[in-house]
Amino acid sequence: MEFKILQKPATKHQAYIIDDIAKLALVPGITEQETSFVKTCFNDEQTFVTINRFSYFLFIYLLKSKKTESQTRETCRKSGAELQAVCNKYKLTEVTLHNISAMPQAALLLAEGLALSNYQFLKYRTNSKKITHTLHTVYFTKTSATLKEVSQLAITIDAVYRARTLVNEPLNYLSAEQLSKEIATLGKESGFKVTILNKARLIKEKMGGILSVNMGSQQPPTFTIMEYTPKKAINKKPIVLIGKGVVYDTGGLSLKPTPNSMDRMKSDMGGAALVSCAMYAIAKMQLPLHIIALVPATDNRPGENATVPGDVITMYSGTTVEVLNTDAEGRMLLADALHWAKRYKPGLVCDFATLTGAASVAVGEYGIVCMGTADEPTRQAFRDSGFSQYERLVEYPLWDEYGDQIKSDIADLKNVGGPSGGAITAGKFLEHFTDYPWMHFDIAGVSFATSKKGYLPVGGTAYGMRMLLDYLIHYNKA
Ligand code: BES
Ligand code: MN
Ligand code: ZN
């Protein structure tokens, strides 16, 4: 998808955003007949009208304010998805957006929804040429967006597409080693440093958490370190992002039941895709922030040597963990990454992980469950970004009592809690390995969709990416 600011008068397909029917008069060349047609449509609760002028299409979108600004913004994105469908239906290759509403970002938001819904994963289709969307360029008129806004949107969309594709890639392409290679490529293309630790190095470092998950696998684990250092960083202490990179989760010996529950488990590296493609966007945008990202990666399988329930693992931090369920593997490898992060003396650490079915059960696909120890202004900033991007956050508490559930009879911790509060006991487990301000984002419910919803396609969604980038873009500026 390409975005450009139009320098000359628009000629082809036009989309006008208005917030008042009276503004129809401002659409150049609109006839009386067309005006009364559009008015009838809008009276009919419709908000989006297509006029076929034969040599080009004229689209009119009526922007209506909702209860909150966050909701109004989301309506613009959703309308973008509608426009995307119509454009491809008529095989249009480009469209020009004119914002004549009073909301400054309306055209950008419409373009965002349009671009988010125009994503396709066609690598494995033999008929890909035939089914590729025709739409590939969105123009803005000069008064509809600034150059900086357009460039940030283009990078964000690029990062979202890349993260979705990583999630959509199956295990028989995307092993842990391949994931590391993909991250190295992202680093080269955008300008951040990538270091890959191999299995021998993980053994040498005694990273017991990630190694224990890898025991049943035929393929080696990796630990990928990304670092973006701008010339002038506004943060003294680095921000560290961590992404769960379980390239496939069978559950290990605590095998998931086959019907349905394993179908989407190639997406268990959604956190890794999110943070590594966020790094790509951060470097492309040249944000003035020193940011490091860590991706511990492996598949989780019930092979011959697999960790058995009851095994006691010495983690990278030295903490001992009784593994009572090998399907609670995410926290094992995240714990090692969280301990690794201490060496940077970070100002903030954020982990993104498809960690618990409990988070998904609690809020479904409409938000991210988060918790952490970061200060209130930081949490508020994240919540604001969540609303602004409509990738909303629901915050859970880390009360001490939940920690009692993960006390082991024979080791320091066990890797599962009781039958309830599963998203929080997983969070409490992670908290044990932190000594810095920290936020945990459980994206289990949102990272993969089984049906298309507005601008979210089937498959990888990269949900959370726009929230995270918005937070970083506005870092310290509030
Ligand atoms: N990857 C899963 C969590 C998950 C579930 C992600 C559904 C996406 C959709 C995670 O590794 C897992 O298996 N968690 C267990 C933990 C339990 C054994 C304590 C779960 O949530 O059931
Ligand atoms: Mn699991
Ligand atoms: Zn998992």
Side-chain angles (χ1 to χ4, degrees):
M1 198 93 229
E2 228 183 2
F3 306 89
K4 289 180 181 162
I5 293 185
L6 198 66
Q7 298 305 332
K8 47 186 201 302
T11 46
K12 276 200 177 165
H13 314 293
Q14 319 282 320
Y16 281 86
I17 307 167
I18 61 173
D19 50 2
D20 186 337
I21 292 188
K23 285 196 180 167
L24 274 177
L26 300 175
V27 176
I30 194 159
T31 66
E32 243 171 72
Q33 238 182 342
E34 286 169 341
T35 305
S36 72
F37 169 67
V38 175
K39 281 184 181 163
T40 326
C41 294
F42 286 162
N43 284 338
D44 235 17
E45 290 302 298
Q46 211 174 312
T47 54
F48 186 80
V49 180
T50 303
I51 299 171
N52 187 343
R53 280 182 168 171
F54 302 107
S55 60
Y56 67 93
F57 281 94
L58 177 63
F59 304 107
I60 313 279
Y61 167 51
L62 177 66
L63 170 59
K64 285 185 185 161
S65 285
K66 297 275 143 96
K67 265 177 279 168
T68 66
E69 196 193 334
S70 162
Q71 285 170 305
T72 309
R73 289 166 57 86
E74 182 67 356
T75 333
C76 288
R77 292 188 196 93
K78 288 208 171 120
S79 305
E82 270 182 78
L83 180 58
Q84 182 267 350
V86 178
C87 287
N88 286 305
K89 181 176 155 198
Y90 293 115
K91 306 217 177 301
L92 317 186
T93 58
E94 55 163 78
V95 62
T96 300
L97 306 183
H98 303 255
N99 179 23
I100 52 176
S101 80
M103 184 163 140
Q105 288 204 314
L108 272 164
L109 290 162
L110 199 88
E112 183 170 74
L114 193 152
L116 288 170
S117 57
N118 208 42
Y119 171 83
Q120 292 179 290
F121 181 63
L122 300 176
K123 179 175 167 190
Y124 297 104
R125 302 272 198 181
T126 53
N127 64 340
S128 65
K129 279 219 176 81
K130 223 172 141 187
I131 57 176
T132 302
H133 291 149
T134 54
L135 185 69
H136 57 71
T137 310
V138 176
Y139 290 104
F140 296 89
T141 57
K142 278 186 202 161
T143 50
S144 298
T146 67
L147 207 58
K148 186 172 178 197
E149 287 170 327
V150 172
S151 133
Q152 270 181 355
L153 174 65
I155 295 169
T156 303
I157 296 298
D158 189 9
V160 165
Y161 278 25
R162 284 166 186 263
R164 287 177 179 176
T165 295
L166 284 176
V167 170
N168 289 333
E169 282 288 2
L171 176 67
N172 63 354
Y173 171 77
L174 199 78
S175 59
E177 284 185 322
Q178 186 59 34
L179 176 59
S180 295
K181 284 184 196 158
E182 304 273 337
I183 296 174
T185 308
L186 290 170
K188 276 205 195 81
E189 285 181 40
S190 62
F192 61 83
K193 194 178 129 201
V194 177
T195 311
I196 302 169
L197 309 190
N198 63 13
K199 184 174 175 182
R201 179 73 191 278
L202 300 186
I203 293 170
K204 209 174 134 213
E205 298 279 352
K206 299 202 174 89
M207 298 181 79
I210 177 166
L211 288 166
S212 77
V213 179
N214 182 253
M215 287 295 281
S217 176
Q218 300 277 346
Q219 292 174 303
T222 58
F223 188 86
T224 306
I225 303 161
M226 296 157 251
E227 182 158 12
Y228 170 69
T229 321
K231 285 209 182 71
K232 264 199 191 137
I234 57 173
N235 58 330
K236 279 209 190 73
K237 295 175 166 188
I239 298 168
V240 179
L241 308 174
I242 298 177
K244 173 177 172 181
V246 173
V247 286
Y248 199 87
D249 184 9
T250 67
L253 279 172
S254 311
L255 194 65
K256 289 183 186 292
T258 319
N260 304 325
S261 68
M262 229 185 269
D263 301 3
R264 48 159 293 185
M265 281 305 146
K266 66 173 183 183
S267 69
D268 213 15
M269 34 56 73
L274 199 153
V275 306
S276 51
C277 295
M279 287 299 277
Y280 170 88
I282 290 157
K284 282 259 172 184
M285 289 180 193
Q286 299 185 296
L287 296 187
L289 294 169
H290 181 200
I291 308 187
I292 293 162
L294 308 173
V295 166
T298 176
D299 52 338
N300 180 27
R301 292 219 198 208
E304 273 181 287
N305 264 326
T307 297
V308 299
D311 274 352
V312 176
I313 305 299
T314 302
M315 308 290 277
Y316 180 44
S317 71
T319 300
T320 56
V321 174
E322 185 184 13
V323 174
L324 287 177
N325 189 326
T326 62
D327 198 11
E329 84 297 341
R331 63 198 75 182
M332 298 296 287
L333 47 91
L334 288 170
D336 283 0
L338 288 165
H339 181 68
W340 181 281
K342 290 173 188 163
R343 70 181 59 206
Y344 305 114
K345 309 245 172 311
L348 175 66
V349 175
C350 301
D351 76 73
F352 289 84
T354 47
L355 202 62
T356 66
S360 166
V361 168
V363 291
E365 58 261 313
Y366 304 112
I368 295 174
V369 168
C370 76
M371 58 204 89
T373 56
D375 61 16
E376 183 51 31
T378 301
R379 286 142 66 156
Q380 184 60 47
F382 270 115
R383 278 195 294 269
D384 290 347
S385 291
F387 280 116
S388 131
Q389 303 306 310
Y390 221 71
E391 294 180 332
R392 294 166 293 184
L393 303 177
V394 180
E395 193 171 344
Y396 280 13
L398 284 168
W399 294 326
D400 293 342
E401 289 78 358
Y402 293 103
D404 297 340
Q405 288 191 30
I406 50 170
K407 285 185 180 148
S408 161
D409 296 328
I410 64 163
D412 298 337
L413 295 175
K414 58 182 180 180
N415 78 331
V416 279
S420 55
I424 304 178
T425 49
K428 283 308 274 187
F429 185 94
L430 298 181
E431 184 189 19
H432 184 91
F433 300 87
T434 65
D435 69 355
Y436 37 65
W438 159 73
M439 290 290 287
H440 160 56
F441 298 93
D442 194 330
I443 52 172
V446 291
S447 62
F448 192 91
T450 48
S451 64
K452 181 175 155 62
K453 277 177 209 80
Y455 54 76
L456 293 181
V458 175
T461 60
Y463 191 111
M465 172 79 79
R466 291 181 299 107
M467 181 279 297
L468 173 61
L469 290 178
D470 186 78
Y471 171 80
L472 294 172
I473 287 169
H474 297 103
Y475 187 85
N476 248 2
K477 276 188 205 156

